[in-house]
Amino acid sequence: MLDFMDYIQLAFAEATNWNRDNSYSSLTATAQSLLDFSTPERLRVHLSSLSTPHFATSYTLGTVGLIDGSVSYLFSTVPLNHAASRSSLIPLRKLSPGYRQVQAPVALIQNFRVDSILDDLNHLPGSNDSDNNSTTTLRNHGRSQKATLFHATLHLPPPTTLNALFLRRISPTMQLSLAVCSTRGPPLSKSAPQASLLTQLSHNTGKYSNEYLFSTDNALFGWRGLWNFGPDPRATSTGTTTASTQPLSLLSAGAEAYYSPVSSLIGMSTGLRFSTLPAATDVPSSSSSNSSASSNSNTSNNPISTFPYTLTLTLTPLTGSLSTTYSLRASPNLAFSSRFGFNVYSWESEMVAGMELWRKSRRAAPADDHNDDDGLEWARRKMRGERHPPLPSPPPPVPKRDPLGQYHTVKKTTGEEDANESVLKIRVDQSWNVRLLWEGRVKELLVSAGVGLGPSSFASSLSSLSSLSAAGAQSSGGGSAGVGKSYWHGFGISVLYSS
């Protein structure tokens, strides 16, 4: 489950219309969410709050051998009024990432500025005359700020670690990120704190994206790039987009390279991603199906009745590592993923499989008749031999205004996110290491519980047993006594409450 501050950062990206999928770092995000999820460690409690639309706080207390915790603060110049802050209202699908539906690339908006929070000081009582209003309007227009976010987290107790993030939208297609990590040594140590700075400049045009990185740790330089095959969204943004012209799939290719002149470190990788888009799984209405049947030119562009899926292929030439992933969403509440990787220079291989299963709440909001689907309608249509059966037309989209003043078309939801109140994730690899994770809502608390099972042992718990068994074997004159392996890795619970 994501932390509350990570959820607020995602809300900031949505408010500024920044596409996180159009990046090489998100090439395998779907498979990582289903296969590389982490389970909580022992007991951890999170208390968070979005006190104002611009300011958020979070406190964490955990017990992992010893009591530890953290304090986090976040400030955003963009008002986050659209983000639900109460733990009883936050959609669980936003906190528990699963199958990630890739969206079609779009051209970024030109209005990337937001009004300053100090502009409210100009609207004081007694300044309602027309001259003051015109002067105030011009002053506010010139004082508008670019979207900026500040975030800092202090981890306690010693060794104390400070993580800070500065994020600024410097242009409609460029974003600057500065991340600082500073660690203080032991209490009796007189050495200076170790600190590192990571600078990242992202350029996203919709058609392609470039990321330039520099880290003070070993003076590391890096570059990441992603290219989307197909029409340029900047050329088609001015025209009207119909159902027949919407792309059904997206093929992306990317690469990354790193070099450190201090340690002579070189690294590079490349990858491909093929994913179906939402238009490929949308079932056409009766009117659209009748019109498409009468026109042969539009038949080839009709949406296909299938489930969403994503395939990726990544290659690291220097180490000879090759990895492939296949993820699919069989129904709105069920998703599967698998990964197979091997090394061409050795016999090492990896095979991982995972799934997630969402459970609907009994207190779900009443849905419309045309949206009452259990996710298996595509199988029933294939058994009946129907390709595009007539269905009732969905409700018209509702325009919604975001914090930047732009209007976007938002479809009416049927309470799917509110209905899904718990999820079960399972992951198993070729060594039979099993990882189970349950996340759900209990009253007004968000609870995450996980357990790890596998053929390995606790070093702390079995070291004493091995020494005792060895001493007993020597005293009795017998041979070496083996210690049975434990299949219990650990169990943890994490509780989140926000207001």
Side-chain angles (χ1 to χ4, degrees):
M1 182 179 295
L2 295 179
D3 293 337
F4 183 78
M5 289 303 180
D6 296 334
Y7 165 72
I8 296 298
Q9 293 182 25
L10 294 180
F12 176 83
E14 294 178 358
T16 56
N17 298 312
W18 185 260
N19 188 5
R20 299 181 296 115
D21 295 331
N22 196 27
S23 173
Y24 183 76
S25 59
S26 303
L27 193 72
T28 59
T30 298
Q32 291 178 356
S33 300
L34 297 174
L35 301 177
D36 298 334
F37 58 88
S38 59
T39 56
E41 298 180 358
R42 304 297 174 89
L43 177 62
R44 188 168 293 271
V45 179
H46 305 266
L47 300 177
S48 308
S49 174
L50 184 63
S51 55
T52 67
H54 300 272
F55 188 74
T57 58
S58 179
Y59 307 94
T60 302
L61 180 63
T63 58
V64 185
L66 51 87
I67 298 178
D68 62 349
S70 63
V71 180
S72 302
Y73 297 95
L74 186 143
F75 173 78
S76 170
T77 58
V78 178
L80 304 177
N81 297 319
H82 67 287
S85 60
R86 296 183 57 182
S87 55
S88 58
L89 301 178
I90 299 178
L92 189 59
R93 287 185 181 268
K94 291 188 176 182
L95 291 179
S96 180
Y99 184 87
R100 193 164 168 178
Q101 177 63 65
V102 178
Q103 302 294 330
V106 295
L108 300 180
I109 61 176
Q110 297 298 324
N111 182 17
F112 61 94
R113 291 177 176 268
V114 297
D115 295 335
S116 172
I117 60 176
L118 300 178
D119 292 343
D120 295 337
L121 299 178
N122 297 323
H123 300 280
L124 297 177
S127 59
N128 296 328
D129 53 299
S130 59
D131 297 338
N132 292 338
N133 288 338
S134 59
T135 306
T136 302
T137 303
L138 295 176
R139 187 184 299 112
N140 292 342
H141 179 73
R143 191 181 295 179
S144 59
Q145 295 182 351
K146 299 179 181 179
T148 309
L149 181 140
F150 301 91
H151 176 218
T153 302
L154 181 63
H155 299 273
L156 299 171
T160 305
T161 303
L162 175 64
N163 295 327
L165 175 66
F166 171 79
L167 194 64
R168 187 176 181 86
R169 190 77 170 271
I170 59 180
S171 74
T173 59
M174 299 188 69
Q175 182 172 270
L176 177 64
S177 173
L178 300 176
V180 180
C181 180
S182 177
T183 303
R184 184 180 179 182
L188 300 180
S189 177
K190 297 182 180 180
S191 60
Q194 299 179 358
S196 61
L197 172 65
L198 176 62
T199 305
Q200 179 177 344
L201 181 62
S202 303
H203 182 215
N204 184 2
T205 62
K207 177 65 176 179
Y208 62 89
S209 68
N210 290 313
E211 298 178 67
Y212 307 94
L213 302 95
F214 172 75
S215 176
T216 57
D217 190 6
N218 293 329
L220 183 66
F221 294 87
W223 167 83
R224 289 196 295 245
L226 184 70
W227 178 272
N228 298 317
F229 295 92
D232 193 343
R234 295 171 296 180
T236 59
S237 60
T238 56
T240 58
T241 302
T242 60
S244 60
T245 60
Q246 292 181 357
L248 304 181
S249 60
L250 179 64
L251 177 62
S252 305
E256 64 178 353
Y258 299 93
Y259 174 70
S260 174
V262 177
S263 58
S264 300
L265 176 65
I266 300 177
M268 64 177 301
S269 68
T270 182
L272 292 172
R273 180 185 64 188
F274 178 82
S275 177
T276 57
L277 297 178
T281 57
D282 290 342
V283 179
S285 59
S286 58
S287 59
S288 61
S289 61
N290 295 334
S291 60
S292 62
S294 60
S295 177
N296 296 330
S297 60
N298 295 334
T299 303
S300 59
N301 294 329
N302 283 336
I304 54 178
S305 299
T306 182
F307 42 77
Y309 61 90
T310 302
L311 297 92
T312 62
L313 172 65
T314 56
L315 173 64
T316 307
L318 298 180
T319 60
S321 299
L322 181 66
S323 177
T324 60
T325 65
Y326 175 59
S327 306
L328 63 92
R329 190 178 181 183
S331 71
N333 301 320
L334 182 62
F336 299 93
S337 181
S338 62
R339 180 175 61 206
F340 177 73
F342 64 93
N343 194 292
V344 297
Y345 300 144
S346 64
W347 295 99
E348 296 180 357
S349 62
E350 178 194 20
M351 185 172 61
V352 185
M355 61 166 291
E356 67 170 1
L357 177 63
W358 290 83
R359 184 187 65 87
K360 290 187 177 181
S361 172
R362 298 178 181 177
R363 297 175 298 175
D368 297 336
D369 295 337
H370 62 272
N371 284 327
D372 190 9
D373 188 10
D374 57 356
L376 299 178
E377 185 62 25
W378 61 273
R380 300 188 184 97
R381 290 197 300 268
K382 287 187 177 181
M383 294 180 63
R384 293 193 299 262
E386 300 178 5
R387 179 175 176 84
H388 298 300
L391 294 176
S393 58
V398 179
K400 183 179 180 181
R401 185 176 182 180
D402 61 3
L404 297 180
Q406 300 292 326
Y407 286 91
H408 303 275
T409 301
V410 180
K411 295 182 179 180
K412 291 184 178 181
T413 59
T414 60
E416 177 184 348
E417 293 182 346
D418 297 334
N420 297 322
E421 288 193 347
S422 65
V423 58
L424 177 64
K425 295 184 178 182
I426 304 176
R427 183 249 195 202
V428 60
D429 58 11
Q430 77 279 5
S431 300
W432 295 106
N433 292 314
V434 182
R435 197 179 301 168
L436 303 176
L437 178 65
W438 179 88
E439 294 176 338
R441 181 177 284 106
V442 179
K443 299 297 182 179
E444 293 189 357
L445 301 178
L446 292 172
V447 182
S448 177
V451 62
L453 304 173
S456 61
S457 58
F458 275 122
S460 58
S461 61
L462 294 182
S463 59
S464 58
L465 294 178
S466 60
S467 60
L468 292 177
S469 60
Q474 292 179 359
S475 61
S476 60
S480 60
V483 179
K485 292 184 178 181
S486 173
Y487 285 80
W488 182 269
H489 283 186
F491 176 77
I493 298 178
S494 177
V495 180
L496 170 64
Y497 175 79
S498 61
S499 61

